[in-house]
Amino acid sequence: MSDPMIGLVLLGLLMALLASGVWVAVSLSLVGLAGLVFFSNAPSGLVLASTFWGHSHSWALTALPLFILMGEILLRSRMSDDMFTGLVPWLSRAPGRLLHVNVFGCAIFAAVSGSSAATAATIGRMSVPELTKRGYPESLILGTLAGSATLGLLIPPSIILIVYGVATEQSIARLFIAAIIPGIMLMTLFASYVAVRAWMNPDLIPAIDETFSFREKFRASRRLIPVALLIGGVIGSIYGGLASPTDAAALGVVLATILAWTSGAFSWKLFGEAVMSATRTSCMIALILLGAAFLSVSMGFTGLPRNLAAWISDMDLSIPALLVALTIFFIILGCFLDGISVIVLTTSIIMPMVSAVGIDPIWFGIYLVIVVEMSQITPPVGFNLFVIQGLTGIDILRIAKAAFPFFLLLLLGVLLICLFPQIVTFLPTYMAS
């Protein structure tokens, strides 16, 4: 059987398994097993056992459950409320006023949680009732929350960047560093969109009755100090070369626990809930990564990635043409799968292609995460849309419509890093030198 036919058979099997409701990890493993049994001479049982064992004790992967636990602790503490209260006085006079709380609140919480869904749930729980009560338009409330919460995938410590780093054997610290400027760029695009909408139609934004003196703003800012300490401790230790991402994750859990206890709104019961929730999420991701690792190894035995890369190289396809095709492919895939599944399903096939045309894997990781961010706000499987629907009870299509401008802004972000790759590569290159 020819390579294209083998690829189509395995892809069809994978789609059939996923459509029938089989777990992603099991689906990946079964497809990998089918590839070994029917299209290679490798001992399938031995390869399966050695791959699962070899990838089950990855030191780099240790950071993942720790960062997830840190986010779960913060989700149940009073620090998120303090962050909201500290931002309001400073943003009340900005164009768009308190809508910027969604943008900057999501950016800040993303920097300490690493999860898009946790960011949407935490900030949405505080901002949606408050902004609705003050008379802000529903479309902008939902759009800014859904769009800005996607920053949880990009701004370090990003769970999905850890997954990409483990799956492609790239430096997680370099990926974190590379994500800083793109994260700031997207946050600026979102805030600029809100400001432009406010300038174009001032009637959209309700007048604000409260005025804050500088002393009141300064006093409110003190509530941001715990969050700043946590971000500085976790991210600063990585960028300063004092700790690896895994060490920084452990530091983050300790700091988050201390700050949560001192806030007075944390208990042993909430700590137990945080541990159990982090365990469930970590086990799910770990199983998916094991299945993806086995699929990647089995594809290597079939020779499909190598032959596909050679085929792409023979086509002499330009990098822009390849990136346009990949962007469309990932957007379509993201309509049906969550971000982590997209990463682990595609890296074993895509990375040889990417390497064949000379694309920097660190740059490609940031590009891939931004494209995957779009999948968080595209139906039918947009995780942020489900989270916000659960918070508000609003129809998911209305939420998706409100988030569509931010989908376009993410697409603009992809275009900008393609035209100016230095946005991604400058900091890793500078730090290395």
Side-chain angles (χ1 to χ4, degrees), residues 102 116-117 119-121 124-125 128 138 141-149 376-377 382-396 398-400 402-403:
N102 272 350
S116 177
T119 300
R125 190 178 299 160
V128 171
E138 178 189 89
I141 295 173
L142 300 177
T144 52
L145 177 62
S148 302
Q376 300 294 296
I377 52 176
F383 272 24
N384 287 6
L385 303 182
F386 286 128
V387 170
I388 297 170
Q389 184 187 37
L391 286 172
T392 63
I394 296 173
D395 180 73
I396 195 169
R398 275 168 60 193
I399 302 171

XYZ file of all heavy atoms in Angstrom, residues 102 116-117 119-121 124-125 128 138 141-149 376-377 382-396 398-400 402-403:
286
model
N -11.425 42.989 31.983
C -11.393 41.644 31.399
C -10.062 41.373 30.718
O -9.459 40.306 30.888
C -12.527 41.480 30.378
C -13.819 40.994 31.000
O -13.848 40.602 32.171
N -14.899 41.032 30.247
N -6.265 28.460 30.055
C -7.259 29.336 29.441
C -8.621 29.179 30.114
O -9.297 30.173 30.410
C -7.369 29.019 27.944
O -8.367 29.785 27.329
N -9.040 27.941 30.353
C -10.347 27.694 30.965
C -10.408 28.254 32.386
O -11.412 28.860 32.788
C -10.644 26.197 30.974
N -8.663 30.729 33.538
C -8.676 32.194 33.413
C -10.081 32.693 33.105
O -10.566 33.653 33.720
C -7.700 32.643 32.309
O -6.377 32.207 32.639
C -7.702 34.156 32.167
N -10.762 32.050 32.153
C -12.119 32.457 31.795
C -13.068 32.301 32.979
O -13.899 33.183 33.240
C -12.614 31.634 30.611
N -12.935 31.195 33.712
C -13.832 30.947 34.840
C -13.600 31.939 35.970
O -14.558 32.486 36.542
C -13.632 29.514 35.355
N -14.282 35.686 34.701
C -15.694 35.797 34.348
C -16.605 35.790 35.556
O -17.616 36.502 35.603
N -16.254 34.995 36.552
C -17.058 34.923 37.769
C -17.136 36.280 38.459
O -18.150 36.629 39.074
C -16.434 33.883 38.706
C -17.290 33.534 39.912
C -16.595 32.478 40.739
N -16.391 31.247 39.981
C -15.505 30.318 40.305
N -14.716 30.491 41.350
N -15.379 29.225 39.586
N -18.325 39.463 34.900
C -19.597 39.434 34.163
C -20.743 40.032 34.982
O -21.461 40.919 34.481
C -19.930 38.005 33.690
C -21.343 37.950 33.123
C -18.932 37.549 32.635
N -23.629 43.459 26.343
C -23.362 42.026 26.519
C -22.300 41.518 25.553
O -21.422 40.738 25.934
C -24.666 41.245 26.312
C -24.506 39.745 26.427
C -25.746 39.003 26.009
O -25.882 38.676 24.814
O -26.594 38.749 26.886
N -18.862 42.464 26.762
C -18.509 41.740 27.997
C -18.066 40.312 27.655
O -16.997 39.857 28.074
C -19.706 41.701 28.970
C -20.079 43.093 29.450
C -19.380 40.805 30.171
C -21.350 43.128 30.287
N -18.902 39.627 26.875
C -18.605 38.232 26.535
C -17.406 38.129 25.602
O -16.569 37.229 25.744
C -19.829 37.591 25.881
C -21.113 37.550 26.722
C -22.250 36.946 25.920
C -20.887 36.763 27.998
N -17.318 39.048 24.621
C -16.219 38.998 23.657
C -14.872 39.228 24.304
O -13.915 38.487 24.046
N -14.782 40.270 25.163
C -13.490 40.553 25.809
C -13.084 39.422 26.744
O -11.900 39.083 26.838
C -13.548 41.870 26.602
O -14.685 41.849 27.484
C -13.650 43.072 25.684
N -14.062 38.813 27.415
C -13.736 37.707 28.322
C -13.284 36.474 27.547
O -12.238 35.891 27.848
C -14.948 37.372 29.187
C -14.781 36.187 30.138
C -13.668 36.455 31.138
C -16.090 35.894 30.865
N -14.048 36.082 26.521
C -13.706 34.878 25.751
C -12.373 35.052 25.032
O -11.527 34.150 25.039
C -14.811 34.584 24.737
N -12.174 36.221 24.404
C -10.938 36.455 23.657
C -9.726 36.569 24.558
O -8.689 35.933 24.328
N -9.839 37.370 25.627
C -8.682 37.610 26.496
C -8.304 36.375 27.300
O -7.127 36.194 27.644
C -8.973 38.778 27.444
O -9.288 39.944 26.717
N -9.275 35.519 27.606
C -8.956 34.300 28.362
C -8.051 33.362 27.577
O -7.351 32.534 28.170
C -10.242 33.580 28.757
N -10.160 27.869 21.024
C -10.836 28.052 22.303
C -12.124 28.852 22.170
O -12.979 28.815 23.059
C -9.899 28.763 23.293
C -8.608 28.028 23.587
C -8.837 26.737 24.323
O -9.317 26.726 25.458
N -8.520 25.621 23.688
N -12.269 29.595 21.053
C -13.452 30.441 20.880
C -14.182 30.137 19.572
O -14.877 30.993 19.026
C -13.085 31.940 20.961
C -11.944 32.306 20.006
C -12.707 32.321 22.379
C -11.621 33.792 19.985
N -15.324 24.805 21.577
C -14.552 25.933 22.092
C -14.634 25.939 23.607
O -15.680 26.278 24.180
N -13.551 25.552 24.289
C -13.605 25.378 25.744
C -14.013 26.670 26.454
O -14.787 26.649 27.406
C -12.242 24.893 26.260
C -12.093 23.399 26.233
C -12.846 22.637 25.355
C -11.212 22.750 27.074
C -12.720 21.255 25.322
C -11.071 21.372 27.052
C -11.832 20.621 26.170
N -13.477 27.816 26.009
C -13.841 29.085 26.645
C -15.328 29.370 26.483
O -15.964 29.936 27.376
C -13.015 30.234 26.053
C -11.580 30.210 26.510
O -11.163 29.275 27.179
N -10.814 31.217 26.150
N -15.882 28.995 25.338
C -17.306 29.216 25.103
C -18.139 28.393 26.086
O -19.137 28.881 26.632
C -17.677 28.834 23.661
C -16.910 29.534 22.536
C -17.440 29.086 21.177
C -17.014 31.046 22.662
N -17.714 27.137 26.335
C -18.438 26.292 27.278
C -18.352 26.846 28.702
O -19.329 26.827 29.448
C -17.882 24.864 27.250
C -18.270 24.093 26.026
C -17.322 23.463 25.248
C -19.595 23.997 25.632
C -17.669 22.747 24.112
C -19.961 23.280 24.502
C -18.996 22.656 23.741
N -17.158 27.327 29.067
C -16.965 27.875 30.415
C -17.873 29.087 30.626
O -18.553 29.212 31.652
C -15.486 28.253 30.636
C -15.322 29.056 31.925
C -14.612 27.008 30.694
N -17.884 29.990 29.635
C -18.690 31.209 29.763
C -20.176 30.885 29.708
O -20.983 31.507 30.402
C -18.290 32.227 28.669
C -16.831 32.648 28.876
C -19.191 33.452 28.697
C -16.258 33.461 27.739
N -20.546 29.902 28.912
C -21.941 29.476 28.886
C -22.367 28.944 30.258
O -23.469 29.228 30.733
C -22.152 28.393 27.829
C -23.617 27.967 27.681
C -23.786 26.776 26.750
O -22.960 25.869 26.735
N -24.841 26.789 25.953
N -21.478 28.198 30.896
C -21.778 27.694 32.233
C -21.919 28.811 33.259
O -22.717 28.720 34.185
N -21.137 29.887 33.081
C -21.207 31.020 34.007
C -22.457 31.854 33.809
O -23.034 32.372 34.768
C -19.976 31.924 33.823
C -18.634 31.416 34.357
C -17.518 32.352 33.921
C -18.668 31.316 35.871
N -22.863 32.037 32.548
C -23.914 33.003 32.232
C -25.235 32.379 31.814
O -26.281 33.034 31.897
C -23.445 33.926 31.094
O -23.212 33.138 29.905
C -22.160 34.643 31.473
N -25.212 31.134 31.312
C -26.420 30.515 30.788
C -26.822 31.016 29.417
O -27.892 30.684 28.903
N -25.953 31.813 28.782
C -26.247 32.379 27.458
C -25.935 31.341 26.384
O -24.977 30.561 26.510
C -25.426 33.674 27.239
C -25.856 34.734 28.255
C -25.586 34.210 25.824
C -24.990 35.980 28.244
N -26.708 31.360 25.303
C -26.516 30.429 24.200
C -25.093 30.516 23.651
O -24.552 31.609 23.472
C -27.517 30.755 23.080
C -27.362 29.808 21.905
O -27.759 28.645 22.021
O -26.823 30.250 20.879
N -24.512 29.353 23.361
C -23.107 29.304 22.964
C -22.853 30.020 21.634
O -21.769 30.586 21.410
C -22.618 27.835 22.911
C -21.086 27.786 22.878
C -23.214 27.106 21.714
C -20.533 26.400 23.097
N -24.366 32.766 20.608
C -24.276 34.201 20.919
C -22.898 34.546 21.473
O -22.324 35.588 21.147
C -25.352 34.589 21.922
C -26.704 34.921 21.279
C -27.797 35.006 22.305
N -27.569 36.027 23.307
C -28.264 36.113 24.452
N -29.204 35.214 24.713
N -28.006 37.065 25.308
N -22.369 33.667 22.296
C -21.026 33.912 22.851
C -19.983 33.847 21.742
O -19.064 34.668 21.680
C -20.711 32.882 23.961
C -21.768 32.949 25.065
C -19.328 33.138 24.547
C -21.655 31.830 26.091
N -20.126 32.864 20.842
C -19.184 32.734 19.726
C -19.238 33.963 18.817
O -18.202 34.441 18.337
C -19.494 31.474 18.923
N -20.040 37.004 19.751
C -19.389 38.094 20.481
C -17.868 37.963 20.447
O -17.136 38.960 20.451
C -19.877 38.115 21.924
N -17.379 36.709 20.408
C -15.934 36.471 20.414
C -15.307 36.551 19.030
O -14.071 36.559 18.914
C -15.646 35.095 21.016
